[in-house]
Amino acid sequence: MDPVYLGKTSALPTSPQEAVLDYVPNPRAGTRYLVRFAAPEFTSLCPITGAPDFAHLVIDYVPRDTIVESKSLKLFLGSFRNHGAFHEDCTVGIGERLFREMAPEWLRIGGYWYPRGGIPIDVFWQSGAPPEGVWIPDQQVPGYRGRG
């Protein structure tokens, strides 16, 4: 595995399709554990109006042979800044891509979207039933009351 971004100066990809996610060997292969990434300042664009949308994303996964390299994940998530897509498409698309490419034992994503037009939209996706014997804590993002 030759990382594209790790240890290199890297520009923000112009789109999620252009972004490359790097995966590295799991340093604890054979041990079942949970990895969590929280992205409280995720941004994308409304595909109709072009207005910015903001979310707090929480990605949990139980790795198998590889883990996602965090710098490439940061750049991938940042590539949505100029990408027009509905909340559901962004959230589910991120989860499905990570699951397809990394092939973890299990993955879930919570997209806690801040309201526009007075309605917050929260989107959840997971690859299947949570695995037995792994501590999977609550995502700890409160229902909207000025999330903060």
Side-chain angles (χ1 to χ4, degrees):
M1 294 181 194
D2 186 29
V4 173
Y5 300 116
L6 189 60
K8 301 169 185 155
T9 301
S10 307
L12 190 66
T14 59
S15 72
Q17 295 78 19
E18 177 190 305
V20 175
L21 284 159
D22 286 333
Y23 301 95
V24 297
N26 180 354
R28 292 289 181 167
T31 301
R32 295 173 90 202
Y33 63 97
L34 182 89
V35 177
R36 170 169 290 167
F37 288 101
E41 299 176 346
F42 180 82
T43 306
S44 66
L45 298 176
C46 172
I48 306 301
T49 66
D53 287 319
F54 303 93
H56 182 150
L57 299 182
V58 181
I59 302 165
D60 294 326
Y61 73 94
V62 175
R64 282 197 177 120
D65 297 332
T66 62
I67 57 175
V68 66
E69 191 279 313
S70 61
K71 180 178 180 182
S72 73
L73 180 65
K74 176 184 77 167
L75 292 168
F76 171 59
L77 295 178
S79 74
F80 282 83
R81 286 185 185 158
N82 296 312
H83 178 72
F86 291 112
H87 303 338
E88 297 84 352
D89 189 32
C90 288
T91 306
V92 175
I94 290 166
E96 287 180 334
R97 180 165 173 190
L98 285 166
F99 187 72
R100 180 178 64 249
E101 292 182 12
M102 184 174 33
E105 182 176 345
W106 177 80
L107 186 141
R108 77 173 173 186
I109 182 170
Y112 301 86
W113 293 83
Y114 291 86
R116 277 198 317 110
I119 301 174
I121 300 172
D122 295 339
V123 181
F124 307 98
W125 181 86
Q126 68 181 26
S127 61
E132 297 276 332
V134 176
W135 178 42
I136 302 173
D138 182 77
Q139 291 192 337
Q140 300 177 347
V141 179
Y144 188 77
R145 287 189 61 100
R147 284 192 184 121

